[in-house]
């Protein structure tokens, strides 16, 4: 905390007015709530993978501010038209930029591409999902700048999953290939990638300090220092913005602070719609929430529209929340908004055999309808929603208890005993990124239940699996859209998750920062070009 005190003192000595910035012409300090578990992003997921992946590593492709896929380590995005994707859909070819180097000066070649595929597929490495990668039969490097992926079958989502921000970046063979696994190596604390920045030090519980990668292909980034500080309470970050102790707040998970952030002098707040959702996830493997009628009743007992409007005051919109999950394939007729219908919720719970007792709480035999709802701590919006859910469910005879977890543990994998991925819940208030393709195999397929993927609801439905398989087997967008309409109808009927809103990433940056622009993945997609 010494750095914060020094910065604040400097601001005061300079007679800074409230809301003004301390003068740091070459250093950008950003706050965020969630500290990563590892800086080897192959051991991370979701926002952490995208953020640190784009700062420290390179993907083959990434998404720009217009939502278009562009080359990162590759010169041309593979497609059917340019021959990068074969006509049978079973071969994908990437052409690397010349003269790529890792931040230690070692050349990045197609051998690193082949190694990275093998590393993700290595069962000894604790990656949370191999989805997309496990459709690769083999990878080859015919020359140092050409990487060829040979697929087991046509797989349309591959370009958005493998070597893309939804998946994992290129890893250094020369540093990792000698080990049986990369789970607990010093590399996780001090990684070497080919992205615009490299780590100087990770002060656990405090911050990560970075400097430019002098070997970055597009030229040395302009910021001399980039510091990401971990501040678990977003209210504290708002205060730090007001006093000039920090230059920005990345991914404000409170979201209810948007109105305050928008009004801060010397900053700009941007709410960027992303391919993400806020969701109430039901544990379909739990006896209390196994029945689809119960899940539907629990969802219809909540006035979702009023709840989201009240909590986020316009920062999030509950209407057509399915856009955040199915993007261009979203069909509002197949997946409409969940209605507020407590009377029907009562009927469904009665039909499922749950009867009210003398105290108003339902039971089935000796089993009481007492549900555990897990939420992130230090996230006022989630706390407000959770408390309202308790009241809504009580009105239909369901007892709900809330348990809070710190943000890092909340999203931790099974190996780290994270409550969601380990299945220690009946309901979880969980915002998540789906990625850049409407394929949702990783969220709903039987084979992707943790620890083998991100199927947090643990739904296992042969009809869902069959539709997912059809949707990913063709590159024809019209056919895929029709299949995904059927999938959405099935998911709406089974309701493993109740969608609350389409996600918007709330970012706030000093107006002194230039060239920053958001994207589907994260604002860091062009961090190499940021200037103060």
């Amino acid at each position: 905390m010494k750095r914060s005190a020094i910065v604040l003192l400097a601001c005061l000595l300079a007679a800074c007015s409230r809301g003004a910035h301390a003068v740091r012409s070459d250093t950008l300090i950003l706050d965020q709530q969630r500290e990563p578990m590892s800086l080897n992003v192959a051991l991370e997921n979701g926002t952490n993978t995208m953020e640190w992946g784009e700062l420290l590593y390179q993907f083959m492709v990434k998404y720009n501010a217009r939502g278009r896929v562009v080359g990162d380590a590759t010169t041309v995005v593979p497609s059917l038209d340019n021959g990068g994707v074969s006509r049978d859909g079973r071969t994908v070819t990437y052409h690397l930029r010349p003269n790529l180097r890792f931040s230690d000066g070692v050349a990045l070649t197609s051998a690193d591409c082949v190694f990275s595929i093998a590393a993700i597929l290595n069962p000894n490495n604790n990656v949370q999902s191999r989805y997309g990668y496990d459709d690769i039969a083999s990878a080859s490097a015919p020359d140092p700048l050409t990487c060829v992926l040979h697929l087991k079958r046509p797989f349309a989502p591959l370009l958005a999953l493998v070597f893309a921000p939804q998946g994992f970046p290129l890893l250094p063979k020369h540093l990792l290939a000698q080990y049986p696994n990369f789970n607990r190596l010093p590399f996780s604390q001090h990684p070497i990638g080919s992205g615009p920045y490299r780590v100087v030090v990770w002060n656990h519980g405090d911050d990560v300090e970075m400097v430019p990668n002098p070997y970055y292909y597009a030229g040395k980034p302009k910021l001399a220092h980039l510091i990401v500080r971990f501040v678990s309470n977003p209210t504290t970050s708002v205060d730090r913005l007001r006093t000039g102790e920090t230059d920005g707040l990345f991914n404000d998970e409170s979201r209810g602070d948007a109105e305050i952030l928008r009004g801060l002098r010397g900053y700009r707040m941007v709410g960027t719609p992303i391919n993400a959702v806020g969701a109430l996830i039901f544990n379909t493997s739990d006896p209390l929430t196994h029945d689809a009628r119960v899940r539907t009743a629990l969802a219809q007992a909540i006035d979702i529209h009023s709840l989201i409007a009240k909590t986020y005051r316009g920062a999030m919109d509950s209407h057509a929340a399915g856009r955040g999950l199915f993007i261009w394939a979203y069909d509002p007729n197949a997946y409409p908004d969940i209605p507020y219908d407590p009377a029907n919720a009562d009927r469904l719970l009665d039909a499922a055999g749950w009867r009210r007792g003398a105290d108003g709480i339902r039971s089935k035999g000796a089993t009481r309808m007492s549900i555990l709802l897990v939420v992130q701590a230090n996230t006022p919006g989630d706390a407000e929603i959770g408390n309202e859910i308790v009241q809504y469910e009580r009105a239909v005879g369901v007892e709900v208890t809330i348990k809070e977890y710190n943000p890092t543990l909340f999203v931790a994998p099974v190996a780290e005993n994270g409550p969601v991925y380990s299945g220690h819940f009946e309901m979880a208030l969980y915002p998540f990124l789906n990625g850049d393709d409407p394929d949702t195999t990783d969220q709903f397929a039987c084979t992707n239940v943790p620890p083998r993927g991100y199927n947090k609801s643990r739904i296992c439905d042969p009809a869902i699996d069959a539709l997912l398989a059809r949707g990913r087997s063709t590159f024809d967008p019209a056919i895929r859209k029709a299949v995904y309409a059927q999938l959405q109808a099935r998911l709406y009927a089974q309701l493993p998750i109740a969608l609350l809103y389409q996600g918007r990433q709330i970012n706030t940056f000093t107006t002194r920062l230039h060239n920053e622009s958001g994207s589907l993945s994260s604002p860091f997609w062009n961090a190499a070009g940021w200037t103060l």
Side-chain angles (χ1 to χ4, degrees):
M1 301 300 293
K2 290 182 179 179
R3 185 183 303 105
S4 297
I6 293 171
V7 170
L8 178 57
L9 179 60
C11 183
L12 294 173
L13 290 175
C16 295
S17 62
R18 190 168 181 79
H21 298 270
V23 177
R24 295 184 294 268
S25 61
D26 64 353
T27 299
L28 185 73
I29 300 175
L30 300 178
D31 284 8
Q32 69 182 55
Q33 190 172 3
R34 185 178 297 170
E35 183 171 11
M37 295 173 290
S38 173
L39 291 178
N40 175 357
V41 297
L43 297 172
E44 280 288 349
N45 73 87
T47 303
N48 278 346
T49 297
M50 294 179 180
E51 173 193 2
W52 298 104
E54 292 186 328
L55 284 173
L56 304 177
Y57 303 83
Q58 281 185 282
F59 298 96
M60 283 292 192
V61 300
K62 58 185 177 182
Y63 288 82
N64 68 12
R66 296 183 178 181
R68 296 176 181 171
V69 63
V70 295
D72 190 6
T74 188
T75 54
V76 178
V77 179
S79 70
L80 286 170
D81 291 340
N82 63 29
V85 177
S86 64
R87 287 296 162 188
D88 65 2
R90 297 184 63 176
T91 305
V92 176
T93 302
Y94 295 96
H95 297 286
L96 293 171
R97 298 179 187 274
N99 303 316
L100 292 178
R101 293 187 179 276
F102 291 101
S103 60
D104 61 358
V106 175
L108 188 161
T109 72
S110 54
D112 296 290
C113 167
V114 173
F115 165 74
S116 296
I117 295 293
I120 299 303
L121 292 175
N122 179 356
N124 295 318
N125 286 326
N126 293 335
V127 298
Q128 290 201 44
S129 176
R130 294 181 173 85
Y131 181 56
Y133 288 81
D134 52 14
D135 275 276
I136 299 171
S138 64
S140 61
D143 63 62
L145 297 181
T146 305
C147 180
V148 182
L149 305 184
H150 308 277
L151 310 185
K152 298 174 184 176
R153 58 189 69 83
F155 184 70
L158 181 128
L159 293 177
L161 282 168
V162 174
F163 293 141
Q166 188 181 346
F168 305 111
L170 293 161
L171 300 170
K173 178 181 179 180
H174 69 286
L175 295 175
L176 299 177
Q178 60 186 301
Y179 301 103
N181 66 71
F182 55 42
N183 299 326
R184 300 190 181 279
L185 299 178
F187 183 88
S188 292
Q189 312 301 313
H190 200 279
I192 298 296
S194 57
Y197 287 91
R198 64 180 179 86
V199 173
V200 175
V201 62
W202 178 4
N203 300 301
H204 287 269
D206 193 6
D207 60 26
V208 172
E209 300 178 26
M210 290 164 279
V211 295
N213 171 8
Y215 303 104
Y216 187 58
Y217 83 93
K220 185 178 177 181
K222 303 298 188 295
L223 298 176
H225 300 91
L226 175 59
I227 299 171
V228 174
R229 179 172 286 271
F230 310 116
V231 181
S232 61
N233 190 328
T235 301
T236 302
S237 286
V238 172
D239 290 339
R240 283 167 49 79
L241 289 167
R242 286 185 173 124
T243 59
E245 289 181 84
T246 189
D247 299 305
L249 173 56
F250 166 61
N251 193 27
D252 176 27
E253 297 192 32
S254 173
R255 300 176 182 87
D257 293 329
E259 190 172 350
I260 298 172
L261 294 170
R262 195 180 290 113
L264 291 178
R265 292 178 55 195
Y267 298 92
R268 62 179 178 274
M269 190 281 288
V270 179
T272 306
I274 56 176
N275 298 334
V277 290
L280 185 63
I281 298 178
F282 301 109
N283 185 347
T284 63
S285 67
D286 188 278
L288 296 181
T289 46
H290 178 72
D291 191 326
R293 294 172 296 180
V294 171
R295 299 193 294 270
T296 300
L298 293 171
Q300 291 186 356
I302 305 168
D303 187 348
I304 294 173
H305 291 300
S306 296
L307 180 58
I308 299 305
K310 174 184 175 183
T311 302
Y312 296 126
R313 296 179 286 280
M316 298 292 163
D317 184 3
S318 64
H319 176 64
R323 289 175 304 188
L325 192 57
F326 301 104
I327 48 178
W328 56 261
Y330 173 59
D331 185 338
N333 295 314
Y335 205 105
D337 295 347
I338 297 170
Y340 176 46
D341 194 344
N344 193 53
D346 273 323
R347 287 191 289 270
L348 288 170
L349 290 168
D350 286 341
W354 293 94
R355 306 296 181 185
R356 287 184 186 265
D359 62 352
I361 302 301
R362 296 176 182 270
S363 296
K364 181 188 287 187
T367 304
R368 185 176 174 88
M369 180 58 87
S370 184
I371 283 179
L372 175 65
L373 169 63
V374 298
V375 302
Q376 294 187 80
N378 296 313
T379 307
D382 286 4
E384 185 173 344
I385 290 174
N387 289 329
E388 291 288 335
I389 286 175
V390 170
Q391 301 305 315
Y392 280 121
E393 302 298 356
R394 177 81 189 196
V396 297
V398 177
E399 181 179 64
V400 174
T401 301
I402 297 176
K403 186 172 183 178
E404 294 186 344
Y405 291 84
N406 78 65
T408 299
L409 179 58
F410 187 71
V411 301
V414 174
E416 304 293 333
N417 204 34
V420 178
Y421 286 98
S422 298
H424 301 322
F425 68 97
E426 275 90 36
M427 296 195 301
L429 195 58
Y430 195 104
F432 66 89
L433 291 159
N434 180 57
D436 307 309
D437 188 275
D439 173 55
T440 51
T441 297
D442 217 13
Q443 300 295 339
F444 300 117
C446 295
T447 55
N448 292 77
V449 172
R452 301 184 303 277
Y454 300 129
N455 183 350
K456 297 169 283 294
S457 71
R458 290 161 166 75
I459 186 74
C460 187
D461 180 342
I464 290 175
D465 274 8
L467 290 166
L468 288 167
R470 287 172 56 193
R472 62 179 182 262
S473 65
T474 176
F475 284 84
D476 188 318
I479 295 175
R480 297 187 77 201
K481 190 168 185 177
V483 170
Y484 290 136
Q486 297 177 56
L487 172 65
Q488 289 167 68
R490 182 65 179 177
L491 287 169
Y492 194 82
Q494 292 297 306
L495 214 67
I497 67 175
L499 299 182
L500 306 179
Y501 56 81
Q502 178 181 8
R504 290 180 187 167
Q505 191 172 90
I506 306 298
N507 297 318
T508 302
F509 296 101
T510 171
T511 53
R512 295 185 301 112
L513 179 65
H514 301 288
N515 301 326
E516 179 279 322
S517 60
S519 80
L520 291 174
S521 302
S522 83
F524 301 109
W525 76 276
N526 68 339
W530 292 4
T531 61
L532 286 170

